[in-house]
Amino acid sequence: MKPIRTFAAATILAALTACASHSGDAARQPDSRQSSAMNQTHTAISKYSFDDTVRRLETAVKEKGMTVFAVIDHQAAARQSGLDMQPAKVIVFGTPKAGTPLMQKDPAFALQLPLRVLVTETDGAVQVVFNDTRALVSGSKIEFAEVENTLANAEKLIRKTVTE
């Protein structure tokens, strides 16, 4: 029984190591499209500090009539567990006015909503990571044309907010 446990632990460790090294490489590529089996994301380098970037994104979302449903502070959660990590906050936002019709058309699309944007800081660079709209609708009953004036505008808003 012990060799099986050792093999399983080694397999899990190898998988985690592969994921960690892949995500680290991706995080260093500014303004690039990154892909994985589950989604595609965009990364933009913010010209603002970490806290200012978070504040600017929250303000921009609210000014566009959307709701900030939550801000998840991963660094604070790590600290509560006795762990240390780089600053990382996920802003969860959206508006039922845009999301509800999409979920009515494709109830499973609720797994993609509300939208999320990650703000993190590594090696002194504040990065903003967000899902690609085409990737979000891929495999759903939603066509890109149905979201190009709503969800796709969130990409533009995020990028503009952190780079201008």
Side-chain angles (χ1 to χ4, degrees):
M1 196 69 152
K2 191 173 184 180
I4 293 173
R5 285 187 192 156
T6 304
F7 175 74
T11 302
I12 292 169
L13 180 60
L16 290 173
T17 301
C19 288
S21 66
H22 173 71
S23 65
D25 291 343
R28 285 190 287 274
Q29 298 174 359
D31 231 358
S32 65
R33 185 175 281 198
Q34 304 161 7
S35 65
S36 71
M38 295 303 290
N39 67 351
Q40 287 185 321
T41 61
H42 298 286
T43 300
I45 302 299
S46 177
K47 66 184 233 179
Y48 303 97
S49 71
F50 178 82
D51 289 332
D52 284 345
T53 299
V54 171
R55 206 170 8 261
R56 288 177 62 82
L57 286 168
E58 287 183 77
T59 300
V61 163
K62 290 174 185 174
E63 285 177 351
K64 290 294 182 180
M66 293 180 274
T67 301
V68 173
F69 296 109
V71 177
I72 303 165
D73 187 338
H74 288 292
Q75 185 182 44
R79 280 190 195 129
Q80 290 177 346
S81 295
L83 302 169
D84 189 38
M85 70 176 286
Q86 77 282 359
K89 290 186 179 182
V90 175
I91 302 167
V92 182
F93 68 98
T95 175
K97 186 175 180 181
T100 300
L102 301 174
M103 294 182 287
Q104 288 171 329
K105 182 172 185 176
D106 185 352
F109 198 67
L111 290 172
Q112 305 302 328
L113 300 175
L115 298 175
R116 296 169 301 283
V117 59
L118 164 67
V119 180
T120 189
E121 184 175 358
T122 54
D123 300 325
V126 177
Q127 299 175 358
V128 179
V129 184
F130 49 96
N131 288 318
D132 177 82
T133 305
R134 291 186 188 277
L136 283 176
V137 299
S138 176
S140 74
K141 296 176 184 174
I142 311 297
E143 298 295 325
F144 181 77
E146 297 173 82
V147 297
E148 66 184 332
N149 292 318
T150 55
L151 300 186
N153 284 339
E155 287 184 38
K156 296 173 195 168
L157 177 66
I158 291 166
R159 193 175 302 279
K160 181 179 178 181
T161 300
V162 303
T163 61
E164 293 184 2

